[in-house]
Amino acid sequence: MKPIELNTVQEQLDQFLNKPVYIHVETTNGAYASHFGDEAFNVGAYVRNAQVKYSQAKIVGAKGDSFRVGLKLEYGWVYAEGLTDWELFEGDKLLMAGHDPAGRLLVALEISETPFGTNNRRD
């Protein structure tokens, strides 16, 4: 993965405008939080292979070196914040992720015209 370059990622997001696409959205502090004591509260969300069609996609700078991506759906929005890196895999699947300073995954947003595999995260 490489650091997000706003204009390049915006172009990639626009490639999927008004097409039925599959999304994967994941956010977690997961098991990492439990390493910092009993006061930590684990949170997470996971959506895989939800088919959507978005009419607008926007990436904006968020906090520090992270970005927020919003996808405007017919009846609402999907967004992910804290994204720091991106890549294309398998030719045309757009993967955006946010990592903490130790490189641990905090948030992911993936977009593809074909469903994502169900046996592992990146197929």
Side-chain angles (χ1 to χ4, degrees):
M1 300 194 80
K2 52 193 168 193
I4 286 178
E5 199 288 313
L6 191 141
N7 292 330
T8 302
V9 173
Q10 182 66 59
E11 290 173 8
Q12 295 300 321
L13 290 165
D14 290 345
Q15 298 291 320
F16 296 108
L17 283 174
N18 299 308
K19 297 178 180 177
V21 294
Y22 296 89
I23 61 170
H24 171 93
V25 180
E26 179 176 353
T27 179
T28 183
N29 67 352
Y32 319 137
S34 64
H35 296 297
F36 298 107
D38 294 335
E39 299 292 320
F41 192 83
N42 289 339
V43 297
Y46 184 89
V47 176
R48 188 158 184 88
N49 286 327
Q51 191 175 40
V52 301
K53 186 187 309 185
Y54 59 86
S55 60
Q56 181 182 358
K58 187 73 176 175
I59 181 169
V60 297
K63 183 178 178 184
D65 294 332
S66 69
F67 295 84
R68 178 178 51 233
V69 169
L71 307 175
K72 183 179 182 184
L73 311 179
E74 183 177 6
Y75 297 110
W77 286 83
V78 171
Y79 82 89
E81 186 164 352
L83 300 165
T84 56
D85 305 292
W86 80 284
E87 70 180 8
L88 288 176
F89 64 98
E90 295 181 354
D92 59 355
K93 294 180 179 178
L94 177 59
L95 168 62
M96 297 161 284
H99 300 98
D100 71 8
R104 296 176 293 208
L105 179 68
L106 299 175
V107 61
L109 173 60
E110 300 175 28
I111 304 169
S112 172
E113 292 185 52
T114 58
F116 298 99
T118 56
N119 293 330
N120 64 53
R121 282 194 54 257
R122 300 206 43 205
D123 55 350

